Amino acid sequence: MPQGSVLGPILFCLYISPIADIVSQYGVSLQQYADDTQLYIACSVDDAASALSVLESCLTSLHSWFCHNGLALNPAKSEAILLGTRQRLSSFPIPVGIQTANSSVHIYDHITTVGVTLDSNLTLNGHVFVLFVIRNSNLYLSLRQLSVSSLLSVLHIVILYFTVNL
């Protein structure tokens, strides 16, 4: 199928539709946007090990399906994040990574998905700062000339200001 054709996106969606069936067998939630697939699983501190095992089993099944159908699950382009309140995450047994495709997917403090930067506490401070920098690039260039300690205090004030006024 030539790239840019009218039928391309429809045929691609049909081609990857079994992914949702595979993921649902494990009780894992799924969101897809074009060729981007996100898996979600909710768990408490008590069942964290079990949830991680389910997620890794689901990823193993997906990797097998991808290989069988000429697609690739690329752990180098994959990201994982644990979301929760600061208090919950401090008591959560944080794994080193999630095993998939004979590799480990690193767990990050923040990720960018569909243009939104999410941090593990869902504060959106990083996203607001990125928007601030894009809209005020001249201010950002002048902030770069400040000392590191001054810059950190200004950035903190900017993030708090934009967070309060959203």
mmCIF file with all atom_site columns, all heavy atoms in Angstrom, residues 14-15 26 37 55 60 63-64 66 68 84 86 104 110 125 135 137 144 155:
data_model
loop_
_atom_site.group_PDB
_atom_site.id
_atom_site.type_symbol
_atom_site.label_atom_id
_atom_site.label_alt_id
_atom_site.label_comp_id
_atom_site.label_asym_id
_atom_site.label_entity_id
_atom_site.label_seq_id
_atom_site.pdbx_PDB_ins_code
_atom_site.Cartn_x
_atom_site.Cartn_y
_atom_site.Cartn_z
_atom_site.occupancy
_atom_site.B_iso_or_equiv
_atom_site.pdbx_formal_charge
_atom_site.auth_seq_id
_atom_site.auth_comp_id
_atom_site.auth_asym_id
_atom_site.auth_atom_id
_atom_site.pdbx_PDB_model_num
ATOM 1   N N   . LEU A 1 14  ? -7.364  -2.029  10.544 1.00 0.00 ? 14  LEU A N   1
ATOM 2   C CA  . LEU A 1 14  ? -7.868  -3.404  10.442 1.00 0.00 ? 14  LEU A CA  1
ATOM 3   C C   . LEU A 1 14  ? -6.750  -4.415  10.723 1.00 0.00 ? 14  LEU A C   1
ATOM 4   O O   . LEU A 1 14  ? -6.973  -5.431  11.374 1.00 0.00 ? 14  LEU A O   1
ATOM 5   C CB  . LEU A 1 14  ? -8.472  -3.652  9.064  1.00 0.00 ? 14  LEU A CB  1
ATOM 6   C CG  . LEU A 1 14  ? -9.785  -2.926  8.769  1.00 0.00 ? 14  LEU A CG  1
ATOM 7   C CD1 . LEU A 1 14  ? -10.180 -3.115  7.302  1.00 0.00 ? 14  LEU A CD1 1
ATOM 8   C CD2 . LEU A 1 14  ? -10.886 -3.409  9.689  1.00 0.00 ? 14  LEU A CD2 1
ATOM 9   N N   . TYR A 1 15  ? -5.576  -4.122  10.228 1.00 0.00 ? 15  TYR A N   1
ATOM 10  C CA  . TYR A 1 15  ? -4.435  -5.018  10.387 1.00 0.00 ? 15  TYR A CA  1
ATOM 11  C C   . TYR A 1 15  ? -4.047  -5.185  11.848 1.00 0.00 ? 15  TYR A C   1
ATOM 12  O O   . TYR A 1 15  ? -3.718  -6.290  12.291 1.00 0.00 ? 15  TYR A O   1
ATOM 13  C CB  . TYR A 1 15  ? -3.259  -4.479  9.572  1.00 0.00 ? 15  TYR A CB  1
ATOM 14  C CG  . TYR A 1 15  ? -2.067  -5.391  9.512  1.00 0.00 ? 15  TYR A CG  1
ATOM 15  C CD1 . TYR A 1 15  ? -2.127  -6.616  8.844  1.00 0.00 ? 15  TYR A CD1 1
ATOM 16  C CD2 . TYR A 1 15  ? -0.866  -5.024  10.100 1.00 0.00 ? 15  TYR A CD2 1
ATOM 17  C CE1 . TYR A 1 15  ? -1.025  -7.444  8.780  1.00 0.00 ? 15  TYR A CE1 1
ATOM 18  C CE2 . TYR A 1 15  ? 0.246   -5.842  10.035 1.00 0.00 ? 15  TYR A CE2 1
ATOM 19  C CZ  . TYR A 1 15  ? 0.163   -7.055  9.377  1.00 0.00 ? 15  TYR A CZ  1
ATOM 20  O OH  . TYR A 1 15  ? 1.247   -7.874  9.310  1.00 0.00 ? 15  TYR A OH  1
ATOM 21  N N   . TYR A 1 26  ? -5.958  -10.236 29.061 1.00 0.00 ? 26  TYR A N   1
ATOM 22  C CA  . TYR A 1 26  ? -5.171  -10.086 30.281 1.00 0.00 ? 26  TYR A CA  1
ATOM 23  C C   . TYR A 1 26  ? -5.788  -9.089  31.261 1.00 0.00 ? 26  TYR A C   1
ATOM 24  O O   . TYR A 1 26  ? -5.230  -8.852  32.330 1.00 0.00 ? 26  TYR A O   1
ATOM 25  C CB  . TYR A 1 26  ? -3.738  -9.652  29.934 1.00 0.00 ? 26  TYR A CB  1
ATOM 26  C CG  . TYR A 1 26  ? -2.961  -10.736 29.234 1.00 0.00 ? 26  TYR A CG  1
ATOM 27  C CD1 . TYR A 1 26  ? -2.971  -10.835 27.855 1.00 0.00 ? 26  TYR A CD1 1
ATOM 28  C CD2 . TYR A 1 26  ? -2.250  -11.676 29.955 1.00 0.00 ? 26  TYR A CD2 1
ATOM 29  C CE1 . TYR A 1 26  ? -2.276  -11.837 27.203 1.00 0.00 ? 26  TYR A CE1 1
ATOM 30  C CE2 . TYR A 1 26  ? -1.551  -12.681 29.329 1.00 0.00 ? 26  TYR A CE2 1
ATOM 31  C CZ  . TYR A 1 26  ? -1.570  -12.761 27.949 1.00 0.00 ? 26  TYR A CZ  1
ATOM 32  O OH  . TYR A 1 26  ? -0.886  -13.768 27.315 1.00 0.00 ? 26  TYR A OH  1
ATOM 33  N N   . THR A 1 37  ? 0.580   2.561   20.671 1.00 0.00 ? 37  THR A N   1
ATOM 34  C CA  . THR A 1 37  ? -0.284  1.758   21.542 1.00 0.00 ? 37  THR A CA  1
ATOM 35  C C   . THR A 1 37  ? 0.144   1.962   22.982 1.00 0.00 ? 37  THR A C   1
ATOM 36  O O   . THR A 1 37  ? 1.325   1.863   23.303 1.00 0.00 ? 37  THR A O   1
ATOM 37  C CB  . THR A 1 37  ? -0.190  0.259   21.175 1.00 0.00 ? 37  THR A CB  1
ATOM 38  O OG1 . THR A 1 37  ? -0.575  0.096   19.815 1.00 0.00 ? 37  THR A OG1 1
ATOM 39  C CG2 . THR A 1 37  ? -1.083  -0.576  22.058 1.00 0.00 ? 37  THR A CG2 1
ATOM 40  N N   . LEU A 1 55  ? 1.143   -7.601  33.222 1.00 0.00 ? 55  LEU A N   1
ATOM 41  C CA  . LEU A 1 55  ? 1.564   -6.687  32.167 1.00 0.00 ? 55  LEU A CA  1
ATOM 42  C C   . LEU A 1 55  ? 2.689   -7.296  31.328 1.00 0.00 ? 55  LEU A C   1
ATOM 43  O O   . LEU A 1 55  ? 2.668   -7.222  30.094 1.00 0.00 ? 55  LEU A O   1
ATOM 44  C CB  . LEU A 1 55  ? 2.000   -5.356  32.765 1.00 0.00 ? 55  LEU A CB  1
ATOM 45  C CG  . LEU A 1 55  ? 2.335   -4.243  31.787 1.00 0.00 ? 55  LEU A CG  1
ATOM 46  C CD1 . LEU A 1 55  ? 1.141   -3.902  30.899 1.00 0.00 ? 55  LEU A CD1 1
ATOM 47  C CD2 . LEU A 1 55  ? 2.797   -3.003  32.533 1.00 0.00 ? 55  LEU A CD2 1
ATOM 48  N N   . THR A 1 60  ? 4.499   -10.005 26.349 1.00 0.00 ? 60  THR A N   1
ATOM 49  C CA  . THR A 1 60  ? 5.090   -11.172 25.697 1.00 0.00 ? 60  THR A CA  1
ATOM 50  C C   . THR A 1 60  ? 4.168   -11.692 24.599 1.00 0.00 ? 60  THR A C   1
ATOM 51  O O   . THR A 1 60  ? 4.622   -12.017 23.497 1.00 0.00 ? 60  THR A O   1
ATOM 52  C CB  . THR A 1 60  ? 5.373   -12.282 26.735 1.00 0.00 ? 60  THR A CB  1
ATOM 53  O OG1 . THR A 1 60  ? 6.291   -11.780 27.700 1.00 0.00 ? 60  THR A OG1 1
ATOM 54  C CG2 . THR A 1 60  ? 5.944   -13.521 26.085 1.00 0.00 ? 60  THR A CG2 1
ATOM 55  N N   . HIS A 1 63  ? 4.309   -9.225  21.743 1.00 0.00 ? 63  HIS A N   1
ATOM 56  C CA  . HIS A 1 63  ? 5.565   -9.379  21.004 1.00 0.00 ? 63  HIS A CA  1
ATOM 57  C C   . HIS A 1 63  ? 5.484   -10.577 20.057 1.00 0.00 ? 63  HIS A C   1
ATOM 58  O O   . HIS A 1 63  ? 5.908   -10.494 18.893 1.00 0.00 ? 63  HIS A O   1
ATOM 59  C CB  . HIS A 1 63  ? 6.730   -9.534  21.981 1.00 0.00 ? 63  HIS A CB  1
ATOM 60  C CG  . HIS A 1 63  ? 8.041   -9.779  21.318 1.00 0.00 ? 63  HIS A CG  1
ATOM 61  N ND1 . HIS A 1 63  ? 8.663   -8.835  20.535 1.00 0.00 ? 63  HIS A ND1 1
ATOM 62  C CD2 . HIS A 1 63  ? 8.847   -10.872 21.299 1.00 0.00 ? 63  HIS A CD2 1
ATOM 63  C CE1 . HIS A 1 63  ? 9.798   -9.332  20.073 1.00 0.00 ? 63  HIS A CE1 1
ATOM 64  N NE2 . HIS A 1 63  ? 9.924   -10.559 20.519 1.00 0.00 ? 63  HIS A NE2 1
ATOM 65  N N   . SER A 1 64  ? 4.928   -11.662 20.533 1.00 0.00 ? 64  SER A N   1
ATOM 66  C CA  . SER A 1 64  ? 4.757   -12.853 19.696 1.00 0.00 ? 64  SER A CA  1
ATOM 67  C C   . SER A 1 64  ? 3.855   -12.556 18.495 1.00 0.00 ? 64  SER A C   1
ATOM 68  O O   . SER A 1 64  ? 4.161   -12.934 17.361 1.00 0.00 ? 64  SER A O   1
ATOM 69  C CB  . SER A 1 64  ? 4.178   -13.987 20.543 1.00 0.00 ? 64  SER A CB  1
ATOM 70  O OG  . SER A 1 64  ? 3.898   -15.101 19.751 1.00 0.00 ? 64  SER A OG  1
ATOM 71  N N   . PHE A 1 66  ? 3.230   -9.600  17.176 1.00 0.00 ? 66  PHE A N   1
ATOM 72  C CA  . PHE A 1 66  ? 3.944   -8.666  16.290 1.00 0.00 ? 66  PHE A CA  1
ATOM 73  C C   . PHE A 1 66  ? 4.923   -9.413  15.393 1.00 0.00 ? 66  PHE A C   1
ATOM 74  O O   . PHE A 1 66  ? 4.977   -9.190  14.184 1.00 0.00 ? 66  PHE A O   1
ATOM 75  C CB  . PHE A 1 66  ? 4.707   -7.612  17.100 1.00 0.00 ? 66  PHE A CB  1
ATOM 76  C CG  . PHE A 1 66  ? 3.851   -6.519  17.678 1.00 0.00 ? 66  PHE A CG  1
ATOM 77  C CD1 . PHE A 1 66  ? 4.407   -5.561  18.503 1.00 0.00 ? 66  PHE A CD1 1
ATOM 78  C CD2 . PHE A 1 66  ? 2.496   -6.432  17.412 1.00 0.00 ? 66  PHE A CD2 1
ATOM 79  C CE1 . PHE A 1 66  ? 3.637   -4.543  19.032 1.00 0.00 ? 66  PHE A CE1 1
ATOM 80  C CE2 . PHE A 1 66  ? 1.720   -5.420  17.941 1.00 0.00 ? 66  PHE A CE2 1
ATOM 81  C CZ  . PHE A 1 66  ? 2.292   -4.476  18.751 1.00 0.00 ? 66  PHE A CZ  1
ATOM 82  N N   . HIS A 1 68  ? 4.912   -12.542 14.496 1.00 0.00 ? 68  HIS A N   1
ATOM 83  C CA  . HIS A 1 68  ? 4.175   -13.399 13.565 1.00 0.00 ? 68  HIS A CA  1
ATOM 84  C C   . HIS A 1 68  ? 3.551   -12.597 12.414 1.00 0.00 ? 68  HIS A C   1
ATOM 85  O O   . HIS A 1 68  ? 3.338   -13.117 11.325 1.00 0.00 ? 68  HIS A O   1
ATOM 86  C CB  . HIS A 1 68  ? 3.103   -14.162 14.327 1.00 0.00 ? 68  HIS A CB  1
ATOM 87  C CG  . HIS A 1 68  ? 2.320   -15.149 13.525 1.00 0.00 ? 68  HIS A CG  1
ATOM 88  N ND1 . HIS A 1 68  ? 2.354   -15.247 12.160 1.00 0.00 ? 68  HIS A ND1 1
ATOM 89  C CD2 . HIS A 1 68  ? 1.456   -16.107 13.901 1.00 0.00 ? 68  HIS A CD2 1
ATOM 90  C CE1 . HIS A 1 68  ? 1.553   -16.198 11.734 1.00 0.00 ? 68  HIS A CE1 1
ATOM 91  N NE2 . HIS A 1 68  ? 0.998   -16.736 12.777 1.00 0.00 ? 68  HIS A NE2 1
ATOM 92  N N   . GLY A 1 84  ? 0.557   8.144   40.274 1.00 0.00 ? 84  GLY A N   1
ATOM 93  C CA  . GLY A 1 84  ? -0.078  8.113   41.584 1.00 0.00 ? 84  GLY A CA  1
ATOM 94  C C   . GLY A 1 84  ? 0.293   9.348   42.385 1.00 0.00 ? 84  GLY A C   1
ATOM 95  O O   . GLY A 1 84  ? 1.075   10.178  41.939 1.00 0.00 ? 84  GLY A O   1
ATOM 96  N N   . ARG A 1 86  ? 2.101   11.390  45.422 1.00 0.00 ? 86  ARG A N   1
ATOM 97  C CA  . ARG A 1 86  ? 3.456   11.304  45.962 1.00 0.00 ? 86  ARG A CA  1
ATOM 98  C C   . ARG A 1 86  ? 3.500   10.313  47.131 1.00 0.00 ? 86  ARG A C   1
ATOM 99  O O   . ARG A 1 86  ? 4.433   9.540   47.264 1.00 0.00 ? 86  ARG A O   1
ATOM 100 C CB  . ARG A 1 86  ? 3.900   12.693  46.401 1.00 0.00 ? 86  ARG A CB  1
ATOM 101 C CG  . ARG A 1 86  ? 5.369   12.830  46.630 1.00 0.00 ? 86  ARG A CG  1
ATOM 102 C CD  . ARG A 1 86  ? 5.701   14.281  46.927 1.00 0.00 ? 86  ARG A CD  1
ATOM 103 N NE  . ARG A 1 86  ? 5.008   15.165  45.997 1.00 0.00 ? 86  ARG A NE  1
ATOM 104 C CZ  . ARG A 1 86  ? 5.599   16.041  45.213 1.00 0.00 ? 86  ARG A CZ  1
ATOM 105 N NH1 . ARG A 1 86  ? 6.883   16.173  45.276 1.00 0.00 ? 86  ARG A NH1 1
ATOM 106 N NH2 . ARG A 1 86  ? 4.914   16.802  44.400 1.00 0.00 ? 86  ARG A NH2 1
ATOM 107 N N   . SER A 1 104 ? 14.441  -4.773  28.679 1.00 0.00 ? 104 SER A N   1
ATOM 108 C CA  . SER A 1 104 ? 13.754  -4.107  29.773 1.00 0.00 ? 104 SER A CA  1
ATOM 109 C C   . SER A 1 104 ? 13.346  -2.702  29.351 1.00 0.00 ? 104 SER A C   1
ATOM 110 O O   . SER A 1 104 ? 14.155  -1.972  28.777 1.00 0.00 ? 104 SER A O   1
ATOM 111 C CB  . SER A 1 104 ? 14.671  -4.037  30.994 1.00 0.00 ? 104 SER A CB  1
ATOM 112 O OG  . SER A 1 104 ? 14.018  -3.416  32.069 1.00 0.00 ? 104 SER A OG  1
ATOM 113 N N   . HIS A 1 110 ? 8.697   11.051  33.924 1.00 0.00 ? 110 HIS A N   1
ATOM 114 C CA  . HIS A 1 110 ? 7.788   11.791  33.042 1.00 0.00 ? 110 HIS A CA  1
ATOM 115 C C   . HIS A 1 110 ? 7.910   11.235  31.624 1.00 0.00 ? 110 HIS A C   1
ATOM 116 O O   . HIS A 1 110 ? 8.954   10.716  31.243 1.00 0.00 ? 110 HIS A O   1
ATOM 117 C CB  . HIS A 1 110 ? 8.089   13.293  33.065 1.00 0.00 ? 110 HIS A CB  1
ATOM 118 C CG  . HIS A 1 110 ? 9.425   13.641  32.490 1.00 0.00 ? 110 HIS A CG  1
ATOM 119 N ND1 . HIS A 1 110 ? 10.580  13.518  33.215 1.00 0.00 ? 110 HIS A ND1 1
ATOM 120 C CD2 . HIS A 1 110 ? 9.775   14.078  31.266 1.00 0.00 ? 110 HIS A CD2 1
ATOM 121 C CE1 . HIS A 1 110 ? 11.606  13.877  32.462 1.00 0.00 ? 110 HIS A CE1 1
ATOM 122 N NE2 . HIS A 1 110 ? 11.150  14.220  31.264 1.00 0.00 ? 110 HIS A NE2 1
ATOM 123 N N   . ASN A 1 125 ? 3.142   20.099  35.570 1.00 0.00 ? 125 ASN A N   1
ATOM 124 C CA  . ASN A 1 125 ? 4.107   21.192  35.645 1.00 0.00 ? 125 ASN A CA  1
ATOM 125 C C   . ASN A 1 125 ? 5.059   21.184  34.459 1.00 0.00 ? 125 ASN A C   1
ATOM 126 O O   . ASN A 1 125 ? 5.355   22.229  33.888 1.00 0.00 ? 125 ASN A O   1
ATOM 127 C CB  . ASN A 1 125 ? 4.914   21.128  36.944 1.00 0.00 ? 125 ASN A CB  1
ATOM 128 C CG  . ASN A 1 125 ? 4.104   21.544  38.138 1.00 0.00 ? 125 ASN A CG  1
ATOM 129 O OD1 . ASN A 1 125 ? 3.043   22.141  37.994 1.00 0.00 ? 125 ASN A OD1 1
ATOM 130 N ND2 . ASN A 1 125 ? 4.585   21.215  39.321 1.00 0.00 ? 125 ASN A ND2 1
ATOM 131 N N   . ARG A 1 135 ? 5.898   29.422  23.892 1.00 0.00 ? 135 ARG A N   1
ATOM 132 C CA  . ARG A 1 135 ? 5.215   30.701  23.680 1.00 0.00 ? 135 ARG A CA  1
ATOM 133 C C   . ARG A 1 135 ? 6.087   31.892  24.041 1.00 0.00 ? 135 ARG A C   1
ATOM 134 O O   . ARG A 1 135 ? 5.848   33.002  23.601 1.00 0.00 ? 135 ARG A O   1
ATOM 135 C CB  . ARG A 1 135 ? 3.917   30.745  24.470 1.00 0.00 ? 135 ARG A CB  1
ATOM 136 C CG  . ARG A 1 135 ? 2.906   29.778  23.905 1.00 0.00 ? 135 ARG A CG  1
ATOM 137 C CD  . ARG A 1 135 ? 1.568   29.954  24.536 1.00 0.00 ? 135 ARG A CD  1
ATOM 138 N NE  . ARG A 1 135 ? 0.655   28.979  23.969 1.00 0.00 ? 135 ARG A NE  1
ATOM 139 C CZ  . ARG A 1 135 ? -0.328  28.432  24.623 1.00 0.00 ? 135 ARG A CZ  1
ATOM 140 N NH1 . ARG A 1 135 ? -0.566  28.779  25.869 1.00 0.00 ? 135 ARG A NH1 1
ATOM 141 N NH2 . ARG A 1 135 ? -1.117  27.559  24.044 1.00 0.00 ? 135 ARG A NH2 1
ATOM 142 N N   . SER A 1 137 ? 9.746   32.119  23.917 1.00 0.00 ? 137 SER A N   1
ATOM 143 C CA  . SER A 1 137 ? 11.122  31.690  23.663 1.00 0.00 ? 137 SER A CA  1
ATOM 144 C C   . SER A 1 137 ? 12.123  32.806  23.933 1.00 0.00 ? 137 SER A C   1
ATOM 145 O O   . SER A 1 137 ? 13.238  32.543  24.348 1.00 0.00 ? 137 SER A O   1
ATOM 146 C CB  . SER A 1 137 ? 11.266  31.171  22.244 1.00 0.00 ? 137 SER A CB  1
ATOM 147 O OG  . SER A 1 137 ? 10.898  32.171  21.313 1.00 0.00 ? 137 SER A OG  1
ATOM 148 N N   . ARG A 1 144 ? 18.252  31.679  30.248 1.00 0.00 ? 144 ARG A N   1
ATOM 149 C CA  . ARG A 1 144 ? 19.449  30.852  30.116 1.00 0.00 ? 144 ARG A CA  1
ATOM 150 C C   . ARG A 1 144 ? 20.695  31.606  30.550 1.00 0.00 ? 144 ARG A C   1
ATOM 151 O O   . ARG A 1 144 ? 21.691  30.997  30.916 1.00 0.00 ? 144 ARG A O   1
ATOM 152 C CB  . ARG A 1 144 ? 19.604  30.382  28.667 1.00 0.00 ? 144 ARG A CB  1
ATOM 153 C CG  . ARG A 1 144 ? 18.594  29.316  28.295 1.00 0.00 ? 144 ARG A CG  1
ATOM 154 C CD  . ARG A 1 144 ? 18.817  28.824  26.904 1.00 0.00 ? 144 ARG A CD  1
ATOM 155 N NE  . ARG A 1 144 ? 20.110  28.159  26.833 1.00 0.00 ? 144 ARG A NE  1
ATOM 156 C CZ  . ARG A 1 144 ? 20.695  27.825  25.696 1.00 0.00 ? 144 ARG A CZ  1
ATOM 157 N NH1 . ARG A 1 144 ? 20.126  28.102  24.547 1.00 0.00 ? 144 ARG A NH1 1
ATOM 158 N NH2 . ARG A 1 144 ? 21.856  27.211  25.692 1.00 0.00 ? 144 ARG A NH2 1
ATOM 159 N N   . LEU A 1 155 ? 12.302  29.349  37.492 1.00 0.00 ? 155 LEU A N   1
ATOM 160 C CA  . LEU A 1 155 ? 11.507  28.271  36.898 1.00 0.00 ? 155 LEU A CA  1
ATOM 161 C C   . LEU A 1 155 ? 10.449  27.788  37.870 1.00 0.00 ? 155 LEU A C   1
ATOM 162 O O   . LEU A 1 155 ? 9.314   27.525  37.493 1.00 0.00 ? 155 LEU A O   1
ATOM 163 C CB  . LEU A 1 155 ? 12.402  27.109  36.478 1.00 0.00 ? 155 LEU A CB  1
ATOM 164 C CG  . LEU A 1 155 ? 13.380  27.387  35.345 1.00 0.00 ? 155 LEU A CG  1
ATOM 165 C CD1 . LEU A 1 155 ? 14.193  26.138  35.041 1.00 0.00 ? 155 LEU A CD1 1
ATOM 166 C CD2 . LEU A 1 155 ? 12.657  27.862  34.113 1.00 0.00 ? 155 LEU A CD2 1
#
